[in-house]
Amino acid sequence: MVNLHLILQGVIPMVKLVNNFVHRPGVHCESSALRDIFEFYGFKFSEPMIFGLGCGLGFVYWHSKQMPYPFVGGRGRDLYKKLCFNLGVSVKVNRTSSKTRAYGTLKDLVNENIPVMIHVDMPYLKYLGLPEQAHFGAHVIVIAGIDEEKGIVYIADTMYEGLQTATLKELEEARSSTFKPFPPESRWFTFKFPERLTQVEVAIKKAVVQIAKSMLYPPIKNLGVKGINHFASEIVKWPKLFPPENAAFRQLYEVNYVMMEEDGTGGGLFRYLYSRFLKEAGEILNNEKLTDIGQRYHEIGEKWTTIAKLVRETPKNVTNVHEARKILLAVAKGETEVLSSLARIFQ
């Protein structure tokens, strides 16, 4: 019999895959990771349902003096926290500055047959194939196994069909990266599930109302539908502030295209993903209005896809920003109408 004490002390290399862990490919890192975690504990949801119950929809236009160029995002904050709150699950976020503690805790949890959701800085994980400068430390993965004999970990990551592998060194660098604005801080999440979750019908109503309020009544002009209008006024300034012919600024247009259309959004700045949530919610609640609004959000997503493509092609045609502005104003109006309808459904 293998001596557990010696494994934890590192005398005997640990080889362990979490039993009964299932990874299903998704489109967004955090919602797909949470989907995997919830199913492991016996609660099976689709990724769109996880995204919607976590109030994942949002909008932010952000440009500070510390940033080389603006950031456009379509996700709300604290998806994991809102999801767990709406379903009655306890969740704790843990951080450490110690690489030794970070790995030791991870090892203990995996050995106890617990999959571990963590944050990583993406380019350090070689299987992702990203350039060295593409730092993003809020990428969410699940560690589902460790093989110290081979010096690797097994990773569940978003769109990949099976578990991926990374070396222990890659994982350490990815977890301890200090690159801003999203350093991973060796962060890991621990969950405590009740025997029964909050009824999904109740959670849907709560989450839909939360999203409508946060998008319609944001605290500052950079967020929600106000933020979309703000983006419309700012994008026409981009060619002067960030000349596309300048190599240092050309990546602004490509990066924001990726952030809107490709990089874990599911397309259409997360609107396609939220559309699928609303349609599924409509079926669960037998509510045709929700289903219809889900279709309208898909159409809004198509407009976001068009905006993203215009942004990408701006270095070839700077007049694209004026067409993008028109569509953005239409999107802001459309999202306001749709969100107001959502809020009224559950009044």
Side-chain angles (χ1 to χ4, degrees):
M1 181 179 291
V2 176
N3 189 307
L4 177 59
H5 177 72
L6 292 179
I7 288 178
L8 296 181
Q9 291 297 314
V11 177
I12 299 175
M14 188 178 90
V15 181
K16 171 68 177 177
L17 272 173
V18 175
N19 297 327
N20 302 316
F21 177 81
V22 177
H23 169 60
R24 303 186 193 279
V27 298
H28 174 55
C29 65
E30 187 170 352
S31 52
S32 64
L34 287 163
R35 196 226 64 81
D36 289 350
I37 293 290
F38 271 65
E39 179 166 342
F40 176 78
Y41 285 99
F43 304 104
K44 190 172 180 179
F45 292 97
S46 69
E47 183 188 7
M49 184 57 60
I50 289 286
F51 183 81
L53 293 179
C55 304
L57 189 76
F59 182 81
V60 57
Y61 178 89
W62 201 258
H63 186 210
S64 69
K65 293 180 180 179
Q66 291 74 35
M67 298 167 65
Y69 43 72
F71 167 79
V72 179
R75 230 209 68 178
R77 295 183 60 182
D78 298 330
L79 190 158
Y80 75 92
K81 186 184 296 184
K82 292 170 183 172
L83 172 70
C84 290
F85 176 78
N86 286 337
L87 287 173
V89 177
S90 296
V91 60
K92 181 182 179 183
V93 186
N94 311 273
R95 297 175 179 84
T96 180
S97 58
S98 167
K99 297 178 183 178
T100 301
R101 181 177 177 236
Y103 179 66
T105 304
L106 176 68
K107 183 175 174 177
D108 291 350
L109 290 168
V110 169
N111 198 67
E112 293 169 13
N113 207 57
I114 298 173
V116 188
M117 194 172 94
I118 65 173
H119 280 184
V120 289
D121 193 354
M122 298 176 75
Y124 291 106
L125 301 179
K126 302 306 180 188
Y127 70 83
L128 290 170
L130 294 174
E132 204 172 298
Q133 67 272 21
H135 290 286
F136 180 71
H139 185 57
V140 183
I141 61 174
V142 179
I143 302 299
I146 298 174
D147 187 335
E148 289 186 327
E149 289 184 354
K150 295 181 180 178
I152 60 174
V153 292
Y154 293 91
I155 297 169
D157 192 345
T158 324
M159 80 285 293
Y160 293 95
E161 288 284 344
L163 297 180
Q164 304 302 298
T165 59
T167 68
L168 293 175
K169 182 63 175 175
E170 287 173 17
L171 183 69
E172 180 182 272
E173 291 177 335
R175 297 187 72 189
S176 61
S177 168
T178 57
F179 280 92
K180 296 180 179 180
F182 307 110
E185 298 178 317
S186 293
R187 191 181 288 109
W188 74 97
F189 299 77
T190 50
F191 300 85
K192 186 176 181 181
F193 285 79
E195 289 187 11
R196 293 183 181 180
L197 302 182
T198 301
Q199 283 187 325
V200 69
E201 294 85 354
V202 174
I204 286 170
K205 293 175 183 178
K206 187 185 298 184
V208 164
V209 171
Q210 288 171 339
I211 279 295
K213 287 182 177 179
S214 66
M215 285 289 290
L216 291 171
Y217 310 108
I220 55 176
K221 68 178 181 180
N222 304 77
L223 305 176
V225 291
K226 287 182 181 178
I228 300 171
N229 280 310
H230 181 59
F231 181 24
S233 66
E234 290 295 307
I235 194 170
V236 292
K237 304 174 186 176
W238 281 14
K240 288 187 178 180
L241 295 174
F242 314 102
E245 64 272 15
N246 185 322
F249 290 132
R250 272 201 298 271
Q251 63 179 335
L252 156 71
Y253 301 92
E254 179 66 23
V255 166
N256 273 291
Y257 164 79
V258 170
M259 295 301 290
M260 284 190 274
E261 188 60 25
E262 292 184 355
D263 198 13
T265 73
L269 200 72
F270 292 97
R271 271 53 185 171
Y272 299 144
L273 189 55
Y274 196 67
S275 165
R276 295 199 292 275
F277 158 69
L278 290 174
K279 291 177 181 179
E280 187 176 343
E283 292 175 4
I284 291 171
L285 296 177
N286 193 26
N287 189 313
E288 290 185 5
K289 289 182 180 179
L290 273 179
T291 306
D292 291 343
I293 291 173
Q295 179 56 35
R296 291 174 66 186
Y297 244 117
H298 181 87
E299 293 164 2
I300 288 170
E302 291 175 335
K303 287 185 171 64
W304 277 113
T305 294
T306 300
I307 292 164
K309 291 177 179 178
L310 287 168
V311 167
R312 186 182 212 177
E313 296 300 316
T314 294
K316 297 178 183 177
N317 183 2
V318 294
T319 63
N320 279 0
V321 295
H322 298 286
E323 180 63 22
R325 175 183 177 274
K326 292 179 184 177
I327 302 173
L328 281 166
L329 292 173
V331 165
K333 182 180 179 182
E335 293 213 28
T336 299
E337 292 172 352
V338 169
L339 290 161
S340 297
S341 297
L342 271 181
R344 286 195 295 270
I345 287 177
F346 299 124
Q347 278 183 345

